[in-house]
Amino acid sequence: MNALALEGSALVGRNLRRIRHAPAITVMTQTMPIVFLLFFGYVLGGALAVPGAEYRSFLVPGLLVATAAGGLMTGMFQAAQDTHRGVMDRFLTLPVSRAAVPLGQAVADLLVCAVGTVPMVLVGLAMGWRIEGTALEALGAFGLLLLFRFATTWAGILLGRVSESEEAAGQLGSATFMLPLLSNAYIPTDGMPGWLRTLAEWNPISAVATAVRALFGNAPVPADAAWPVAHPVAGSLLWSLGLLAVLVPLTVRRYARR
Amino acid sequence: MTTTYAVLSEGLEKRYGEVRALRGLDLAVPEGTVCGLLGPNGAGKTTAVRILTTLLAPDAGSARIAGHDLVRDPAGVRRRIAVTGQYASVDGDLTGAENLRLFARLLRLPRSRADELLEEFGLAGAADRLARTYSGGMLRRLDLAAGLLARPSVLFLDEPTTGLDPRSRNAIRDAVRGLAERGTTVVLTTQYLEEADRLADDIVLVEDGRAAHCGTPAELKALVGSRAEVVLAGAGPLGPAAAVLDRLTGSAPDLDAERRTVGAITADPTLTLPRLVREIDAAGIHIVDASLRPPTLDEVFLRLTGRKGTAA
C-alpha cells in the first residue's frame, strides 16, 4: 500500500506536469462549461421556466455536475493516449504496482477538476446564483461533485485503456457531451415523455444534480421522481461508490493483463 | 565451468488469432553476452521481446530471466530488466529531465541518478526541453538512459538503431558495447546484419517464430561456406563465367553487370582460389580479380532464410 502511494504520487506529478506543458485541452474542458453557463443562462434561460426556482440557480449546479461528468471524456483521452504510445510499455516493464498508472491519472484529474471548479463558481455567483444552504451542506455538495468526478474518470480510464486507437477514444469521448442532455442537468425532467423521463432520472447525473441543488438550497427535490432522484444524496453516493467498486478493480485488472 | 544463462526460454508460443507469431522459440543467452535476434520483419522478434519483458504472456512455453520465472514471477523479472522499445518509451509531453526523474522516483532511485544519466548521454543541455521536440537520436538516447537508471542485469533493445542517421546509430552502438563490457547481458533485435555482426557475441536467426539458426557470427558464416567471386576484364558477357561458377560451387551465381562481377556461395572445401582461377582461365575468360572469402552476414542471411536482409 505504501508502495502504491509512492508510485501513485509520482504518477500524479507526471500527469500534472503534462498539463502544465500542454494546458490547452484542460483549459478548454474547464472553460467550455462557463460558455455553456452563459449561453443557457442568458440565451435560452429566458424561455425556460423551472418550478420553484430561478433558472440560473437551477442551471449552475447542473453545469457543475455536467462538468464533473466530463471526467469520462478526459479519462478516456488520456488513457487512450498512454495506451497507444510507447511510454506505457516503459511503465508496465517497471517493477511498479499495476494500479499506479490509472490511480495517478485519476487523482491528478481530480485535483485539476477541483481547481477548475473555482472560476465556474465565480461566474455563477456573478450571474446571481447563491449558496442558500449551510456551509456544511455546501461542503457536502462539493464533496459529492468530486466523488462523482472520480467515478466518471475511472470509467473513462477503463474505456480509454480498451480503446482501439486514440482517434476512436477521441470520437467516443466527444460523444459523451450528450449524457448531461439526457438528465435533469439543464432542464427538469417533468416535461419529458414518460419513458425518456425514466431514462433521464436513472442517469447518475440526475441524482447528483438534484443532490447538489438540494444541498446548495437552490431547488427542491422532486417528490414523484425515480428513486435515485427522489433520494438524491443517498442516490448520488450509491451511484458513485457503486461505479467505483466495479470500475476500479476492472480497470486495474485491465492494466495488469498481459 | 558451468554457464549461467541470463535468458533461457523453452518452446515459447504466441498466437494472435490465426497468426502464429511464435511457434516454439528456444533461447539461451549466457550472462554478460550480447545476443542478436536477427530476422526479417514479421519473424517474431518483437513478439519475443514483448514476452521476455513481461508485456505479453506466452500461450505456451517457459522462460527464466535473470533467475526469475517469467510466468510465475513477472514482478521479479521486472526488477532485473530494462527495455528500450522500437518506438521511444518515454513521455513526449515531459522534458528529458522530468522523464528520467519520474522513472527514477518509480524505481526508488535518487534524483541525482537521473541527472547523472542525462550528463552521461549528452542530454544535459536539452534536459529542460520537451522530449517530443528531440531528434530521433536524442530520443533514443533518452530512452536508453531511462532503461539504464536501475543498472539492469538484462537489457532488451528492440531495433535500437532503426531509423537513425549513421552518427546516432554509432553512438547507440558504442553505448551498447560499453554496457556489455561492464557485464550487462544484452538482447537486441535488429534488421541490420552489419549491426548484429559488430555487436553480438551470438546471433539467433529468427524465422517463422522459431530460432532457425544460432551461433557466433563466424559459426553462422562457416555454416554457409565461402563466397567465390570473380571480376571480369573487358566488356564481354557475364554468362560464361556464371556457368563456370555454377559448376564449381553447385549454387546459383549472382551477377552484377555494373561491377562486372559474378559470385556464388560454396560449401565445397576443395574449391581453392588457385583452382578457381585455373578453371576460369581454362574457359578462356579474362579476369582482373578473384576472391574466395567468408560470406558477409547478408549473404548468410539470404542463404539461410531465403530472404534478403537489410544491409546497413
Side-chain angles (χ1 to χ4, degrees):
Chain A
M1 206 57 209
N2 211 357
L4 180 59
L6 194 145
E7 292 157 7
S9 72
L11 286 157
V12 169
R14 171 210 174 216
N15 283 283
L16 293 179
R17 276 188 196 95
R18 282 172 63 96
I19 293 169
R20 210 181 59 203
H21 292 308
I25 290 178
T26 308
V27 168
M28 201 191 74
T29 54
Q30 293 301 325
T31 50
M32 271 312 279
I34 296 179
V35 175
F36 268 49
L37 186 59
L38 296 169
F39 179 75
F40 279 95
Y42 290 105
V43 181
L44 301 180
L48 293 168
V50 178
E54 270 298 312
Y55 182 62
R56 278 175 220 145
S57 298
F58 179 87
L59 183 63
V60 171
L63 264 164
L64 284 170
V65 181
T67 308
L72 195 56
M73 186 175 72
T74 57
M76 219 186 296
F77 283 167
Q78 176 69 56
Q81 215 177 70
D82 279 349
T83 295
H84 297 290
R85 295 186 188 179
V87 69
M88 189 58 81
D89 285 356
R90 164 92 52 211
F91 289 136
L92 294 182
T93 53
L94 289 177
V96 300
S97 157
R98 306 290 100 173
V101 172
L103 182 68
Q105 186 190 328
V107 172
D109 182 272
L110 193 64
L111 294 176
V112 169
C113 178
V115 174
T117 303
V118 174
M120 189 144 146
V121 164
L122 293 178
V123 173
L125 288 171
M127 286 173 67
W129 166 74
R130 292 290 177 270
I131 294 174
E132 293 159 74
T134 67
L136 203 64
E137 283 171 335
L139 272 180
F142 285 116
L144 280 185
L145 278 171
L146 291 179
L147 181 66
F148 187 56
R149 172 71 173 208
F150 200 55
T152 60
T153 303
W154 278 93
I157 294 174
L158 177 60
L159 290 172
R161 176 71 185 155
V162 302
S163 65
E164 290 280 316
S165 65
E166 281 183 48
E167 291 73 29
Q171 283 161 5
L172 185 61
S174 307
T176 59
F177 87 94
M178 300 278 291
L179 293 175
L181 293 174
L182 285 174
S183 77
N184 66 10
Y186 306 133
I187 44 166
T189 48
D190 355 8
M192 298 180 182
W195 62 273
L196 190 62
R197 182 177 174 180
T198 308
L199 191 73
E201 286 176 351
W202 281 95
N203 183 340
I205 294 171
S206 295
V208 184
T210 310
V212 170
R213 281 182 191 124
L215 290 169
F216 283 144
N218 297 141
V221 175
D224 58 341
W227 191 88
V229 172
H231 307 82
V233 174
S236 301
L237 285 171
L238 278 176
W239 266 124
S240 297
L241 295 174
L243 282 171
L244 284 169
V246 175
L247 292 168
V248 172
L250 270 182
T251 307
V252 172
R253 205 157 63 181
R254 196 70 204 191
Y255 275 79
R257 203 176 95 164
R258 298 197 278 153
Chain B
M1 198 184 86
T2 54
T3 315
T4 319
Y5 292 99
V7 177
L8 196 59
S9 84
E10 256 186 64
L12 287 181
E13 286 183 28
K14 186 73 191 176
R15 175 192 288 277
Y16 298 108
E18 290 294 291
V19 183
R20 292 179 66 190
L22 289 185
R23 29 178 108 202
L25 182 72
D26 302 328
L27 286 177
V29 184
E31 232 166 45
T33 64
V34 179
C35 171
L37 299 182
L38 186 60
N41 269 329
K45 302 184 305 274
T46 294
T47 304
V49 169
R50 291 184 73 78
I51 287 179
L52 295 173
T53 55
T54 78
L55 286 170
L56 281 177
D59 294 334
S62 64
R64 292 185 77 77
I65 316 285
H68 296 270
D69 188 287
L70 187 68
V71 177
R72 262 166 287 158
D73 183 18
V77 173
R78 288 179 196 126
R79 277 194 288 276
R80 305 292 304 279
I81 62 161
V83 197
T84 290
Q86 201 163 335
Y87 307 99
S89 319
V90 293
D91 191 336
D93 294 327
L94 294 181
T95 68
E98 285 171 343
N99 264 293
L100 291 194
R101 284 172 194 159
L102 167 64
F103 300 132
R105 218 175 135 200
L106 289 171
L107 289 161
R108 323 288 197 269
L109 297 168
R111 199 183 155 103
S112 58
R113 176 74 183 142
D115 299 338
E116 208 176 293
L117 279 155
L118 282 170
E119 199 66 54
E120 199 180 315
F121 280 83
L123 293 166
D128 295 324
R129 268 172 50 197
L130 289 187
R132 68 173 131 85
T133 68
Y134 282 19
S135 68
M138 288 165 76
L139 262 185
R140 227 56 86 91
R141 293 207 303 275
L142 180 64
D143 202 16
L144 190 56
L148 298 177
L149 280 166
R151 299 188 174 86
S153 336
V154 188
L155 177 65
F156 291 88
L157 301 169
D158 194 9
E159 307 211 355
T161 63
T162 299
L164 293 188
D165 61 80
R167 224 189 81 224
S168 312
R169 202 180 288 163
N170 283 333
I172 296 283
R173 286 176 187 170
D174 288 344
V176 171
R177 202 170 301 117
L179 282 170
E181 276 160 18
R182 278 170 280 153
T184 308
T185 308
V186 179
V187 177
L188 72 99
T189 74
T190 181
Q191 303 182 45
Y192 297 116
L193 302 151
E194 172 234 349
E195 180 164 285
D197 202 0
R198 279 172 50 190
L199 284 181
D201 298 303
D202 292 296
I203 291 178
V204 177
L205 277 185
V206 182
E207 209 195 357
D208 292 330
R210 266 195 221 101
H213 296 277
C214 308
T216 64
E219 281 166 358
L220 285 181
K221 288 174 186 176
L223 202 65
V224 163
S226 316
R227 180 176 163 83
E229 201 174 272
V230 293
V231 182
L232 300 188
L238 303 180
V244 175
L245 277 178
D246 193 352
R247 178 166 53 82
L248 288 176
T249 63
S251 64
D254 51 90
L255 288 74
D256 184 339
E258 207 170 299
R259 287 172 49 230
R260 307 221 20 91
T261 303
V262 178
I265 298 282
T266 175
D268 177 5
T270 68
L271 181 63
T272 59
L273 188 59
R275 199 181 136 215
L276 173 68
V277 175
R278 268 203 311 277
E279 296 269 357
I280 290 280
D281 196 43
I285 299 163
H286 298 293
I287 56 172
V288 293
D289 197 10
S291 61
L292 190 67
R293 53 165 180 79
T296 64
L297 215 43
D298 248 327
E299 289 152 355
V300 173
F301 189 74
L302 181 64
R303 185 79 170 179
L304 292 178
T305 68
R307 276 183 255 199
K308 262 215 165 359
T310 322

